[in-house]
Amino acid sequence: MSDYLSQLNDVQRQAVTTTDGPVLVVAGPGSGKTRVLTFRIAHLIEKGVAPWEILALTFTNKAAKEMKERIEKIVGDKSDKVWAGTFHSIFARILRVEADKIGYPPNFTIYDTDDTKSVLSAIVKELHLDPTAYNVNNIRSRISSAKSNLITPRKYAEDEALRLQDRQANMPQIYAIYEKYTARCKRSGAMDFDDLLYRLYELWHTNPDGVLDKYRAKFKYVLVDEFQDTNHLQYAIVRKLVHYEGSPRNICVVGDDAQSIYAFRGATIQNILDFEDDFKPFGIRVFKLEQNYRSTEQIVQAANEIIIYNKRQIPKQIWSDKGLGQKIKLIKAMTDNEEGRRVADTIVEQKNRYHLRNGDIAILYRTNAQSRIFEEYLRRYNLSYRVFGGLSFYQRKEVKDLLAYLRLVVNPKDEEALRRVLNYPRRGIGDATLDKLSEMAGATDTTMWENLLKVEASTRAKNAIGEFVALIQKATELNGNAHEVATYIAKGSGLLSHLKEDTTVDGMARLENANALLDGIKAFVEEDLETESTADKSLAAYLQNIALLTDLDQADPDPDFITLMSTHSAKGLEFKSVFVVGMEEKLFPSYMAMDNPEGLDEERRLFYVAITRAEQFLTLTYSNSRYRFGQMRFNEPSRFLEEIPRDVLESTSSMSPRGGRTVTEETSVGTPTAKVMGNFARRPAAPSGPVVDPATFKPSPSESIQAGMRVLHLKFGEGKVLNVDGGKDNRIATIEFKDLSDAPQKKIMLKFAKLQILGGEAP
């Protein structure tokens, strides 16, 4: 057996070596998902598959980079030839080659959110619509949803249900805005992030010059990471590639339905729940990675107990052999200000007692607005931290201004870039000229740049326009690398000189940011960065590289910092110590999900993701009161706290008489004798089945439970033990519970199970 295969457990090895046909790998948190993916690719290459015939799709650049690095350790430089990257970066790479077949230039611009909102604002103004009713964020969301569901502007206009929703939302002209926005982007040679998927599907679907057949022949093996986060459109693209008559259907998807948390972005949990049925006629193999290598047993037990409250899911029982570990600490605060102080105190205590580094610690919250109070206390305690999800470097005005110039050099059709810089720094070209250019472009179906060339001779701003056009044309003609072009533009446009005029602290910071961008471009040219082709150091390659970055991909000068981020941003990460804060009703779970069972299930999955980021220490906090939207709000503890087994919480007492738990929380760090009592009422969110009276329930020794016995479980009621697998410390029982209509069979780790034996063989 090859050495790399010996590093895998039995299930991982089967998932890696079962290379042909459809494969579903259900990977619990910390179960070695990345290892399985990378070893599977390495195994394919070792078997003789050409690396360029392998397509691996991820959701972050970081994951793709880590994947390639791991593959390289096994197969060497061949890993560079694997097509591994995010959906958006891989699809952008394909579209750069094929975009002309659907009417786009190869150097199309990628619009970010601000670009899209700017275009939409202009269209709302052109259509003389009320901007308060036609909020651009809402419009963008509606258009994004339409694209994700493969609804064209024409289909949208003909869909009475969608039109009715828009009328009820007081936005009846969304269909017209969608049509104009699509036409405007195409005229500008621009695609937004949704278009990188939407236009690739168009390319696959129309199949000009057999382009789909070309890529079907090219990619012999397709792998998809984090499959539970795919949306309808992403799966439709993958299906086009592998699910057709005569295909070997060599597709492997890896994911965990319990970590599906991006419905707000259009992701659908149905993709992973239905994947097995979709490929069942073609001999699909399903492997479940259930051993957690990250977290201690008490954290894993809490996660298992929480997620069973969700209805539809793929049955699995995650387990760990890393020892019981510390109990989960629960901190109650009277105010959000006290919550911030208590978290900072606990961090200091953990750093001193357990010698944790700042980089070992994360504070996770449901909304980004919660970060302020924790930032204040971390600063007071002189603790280094970094907030993820704030304003990205590439979203700062001075950076976007310089990037707009560079975008225009690469793609003169880019109308948003032209609008941004035509009169910046000021050169005497007013809004009237811009409006005239836009009107001419719309009337003649040409670009604003083409009309700029025509009007320069007749406008009063002739000299200014002439100099601007000459600047862009000269930069376009330069054959230098990206840094040379960028430096020429930064100086020639007057942008750097303009920034130097502001000698305030803020002004100097803006100049530093512009220079930092130029430094970044120089590093891109000189270093072997993780781009699609490290040999391509063109300005177009640089712009695509940064357009697809997330803030998690940015380097930090001080790597030892406490991480502050939303729970959504934390997926895929792990820390020795995790604080999940703000555990209150209407905050976590969010008030927007309270009346929606599917939304509440997703909130629970989000909590599951948050607590499974912790390796050794998990602290949950909530506050009796906090300011929200300018008002003091008084809060109930989150229902999710009730769902955690009381024996894994620090200082948990017995069930309260009204059926809820009475939990004892510490009120001062390091002073266990100071206690305060708090009640959590039991909610009706538990799975169907009888409610067992805890007063009469008497758990039997786990080692006594054998196949064939009738047993009683607090949540699931009476059941029959079908079989028992595993070694002495990790025995797992498969039990069929007679009163559970949905997924009656459960796999339960016996050392955590608390089962009462009712008798021998069940009737």
Side-chain angles (χ1 to χ4, degrees), residues 89-358:
S89 65
I90 292 292
F91 294 172
R93 181 178 176 182
I94 293 172
L95 286 167
R96 291 290 179 204
V97 177
E98 313 290 354
D100 63 305
K101 296 180 176 64
I102 52 173
Y104 279 84
N107 285 336
F108 58 83
T109 299
I110 299 175
Y111 276 175
D112 65 12
T113 300
D114 286 346
D115 295 321
T116 294
K117 288 161 68 172
S118 178
V119 176
L120 291 173
S121 294
I123 292 172
V124 168
K125 183 178 179 181
E126 289 171 14
L127 294 176
H128 306 292
L129 300 173
D130 180 2
T132 57
Y134 286 87
N135 178 279
V136 291
N137 287 319
N138 294 337
I139 299 170
R140 188 175 69 86
S141 178
R142 293 289 284 170
I143 292 175
S144 175
S145 177
K147 290 179 181 177
S148 294
N149 288 284
L150 295 172
I151 300 172
T152 64
R154 180 176 178 180
K155 285 183 180 178
Y156 196 112
E158 295 171 351
D159 191 315
E160 187 52 39
L162 289 174
R163 298 287 301 280
L164 177 61
Q165 289 176 21
D166 291 342
R167 288 195 293 272
Q168 291 173 339
N170 199 30
M171 296 188 296
Q173 295 298 308
I174 289 284
Y175 77 97
I177 297 172
Y178 183 18
E179 183 178 22
K180 275 187 170 292
Y181 174 73
T182 302
R184 186 73 53 86
C185 286
K186 195 156 192 176
R187 189 176 80 196
S188 298
M191 297 189 195
D192 61 26
F193 268 37
D194 293 313
D195 282 328
L196 295 176
L197 309 179
Y198 183 71
R199 294 302 179 187
L200 186 73
Y201 182 86
E202 177 188 350
L203 186 69
W204 276 182
H205 186 65
T206 55
N207 197 23
D209 301 330
V211 67
L212 175 57
D213 300 326
K214 167 183 167 183
Y215 287 96
R216 281 174 172 173
K218 176 178 179 59
F219 298 126
K220 301 289 196 302
Y221 291 86
V222 176
L223 300 91
V224 184
D225 189 15
E226 303 286 8
F227 189 66
Q228 77 281 346
D229 293 333
T230 54
N231 61 28
H232 172 74
L233 178 52
Q234 285 164 326
Y235 188 31
I237 292 170
V238 172
R239 276 180 57 90
K240 281 279 187 187
L241 201 56
V242 301
H243 208 335
Y244 59 93
E245 188 68 31
S247 167
R249 293 176 173 83
N250 292 330
I251 179 172
C252 173
V253 303
V254 183
D256 181 8
D257 57 294
Q259 298 186 65
S260 177
I261 59 173
Y262 294 122
F264 69 96
R265 293 183 188 168
T268 171
I269 193 173
Q270 292 303 124
N271 285 350
I272 191 166
L273 292 177
D274 296 339
F275 185 80
E276 184 176 357
D277 289 338
D278 207 6
F279 283 87
K280 189 171 287 183
F282 309 99
I284 187 171
R285 297 287 303 278
V286 180
F287 301 99
K288 296 181 182 179
L289 307 183
E290 296 176 305
Q291 181 174 359
N292 182 303
Y293 292 93
R294 174 188 301 151
S295 308
T296 56
E297 294 173 8
Q298 300 203 80
I299 294 171
V300 169
Q301 182 188 357
N304 281 336
E305 291 293 311
I306 289 162
I307 203 61
I308 59 176
Y309 280 74
N310 277 8
K311 298 298 181 183
R312 191 179 175 203
Q313 56 184 288
I314 299 173
K316 55 188 171 295
Q317 183 72 21
I318 309 304
W319 60 276
S320 168
D321 62 1
K322 296 192 69 173
L324 280 175
Q326 301 281 328
K327 288 197 172 188
I328 298 169
K329 184 188 292 288
L330 182 64
I331 294 177
K332 172 185 176 181
M334 300 307 294
T335 66
D336 52 352
N337 196 59
E338 183 191 348
E339 182 186 34
R341 177 181 61 79
R342 297 279 304 284
V343 166
D345 284 339
T346 307
I347 288 174
V348 171
E349 180 189 28
Q350 289 183 348
K351 283 169 65 70
N352 291 335
R353 181 180 296 182
Y354 303 109
H355 308 292
L356 298 185
R357 298 167 52 254
N358 290 329

Side-chain angles (χ1 to χ4, degrees), residues 582-598:
M583 292 303 304
E584 298 137 33
E585 289 289 285
K586 299 185 180 180
L587 183 55
F588 202 171
S590 166
Y591 70 93
M592 294 185 290
M594 300 293 281
D595 299 323
N596 178 0
E598 291 183 0

Side-chain angles (χ1 to χ4, degrees), residues 68 97 242 267 368 372 393 557:
K68 282 198 169 186
V97 177
V242 301
N368 285 316
R372 179 191 60 81
F393 173 80

Side-chain angles (χ1 to χ4, degrees), residues 696-716:
T696 62
F697 181 77
K698 296 179 180 179
S700 304
S702 62
E703 61 270 16
S704 302
I705 295 171
Q706 304 296 332
M709 288 182 169
R710 288 186 301 114
V711 294
L712 193 65
H713 187 278
L714 268 173
K715 288 193 177 85
F716 303 137

Side-chain angles (χ1 to χ4, degrees), residues 36-70:
V36 167
L37 268 173
T38 54
F39 280 33
R40 184 180 172 88
I41 294 171
H43 187 66
L44 285 168
I45 295 172
E46 289 284 275
K47 280 182 59 179
V49 177
W52 52 86
E53 294 178 337
I54 301 170
L55 172 64
L57 298 168
T58 70
F59 274 85
T60 67
N61 296 298
K62 181 184 175 192
K65 179 180 179 182
E66 182 181 356
M67 189 183 297
K68 282 198 169 186
E69 287 173 348
R70 291 195 186 188

Side-chain angles (χ1 to χ4, degrees), residues 569-581:
S569 300
K571 194 156 78 66
L573 304 177
E574 56 186 42
F575 305 89
K576 287 184 179 178
S577 176
V578 169
F579 293 78
V580 186
V581 299

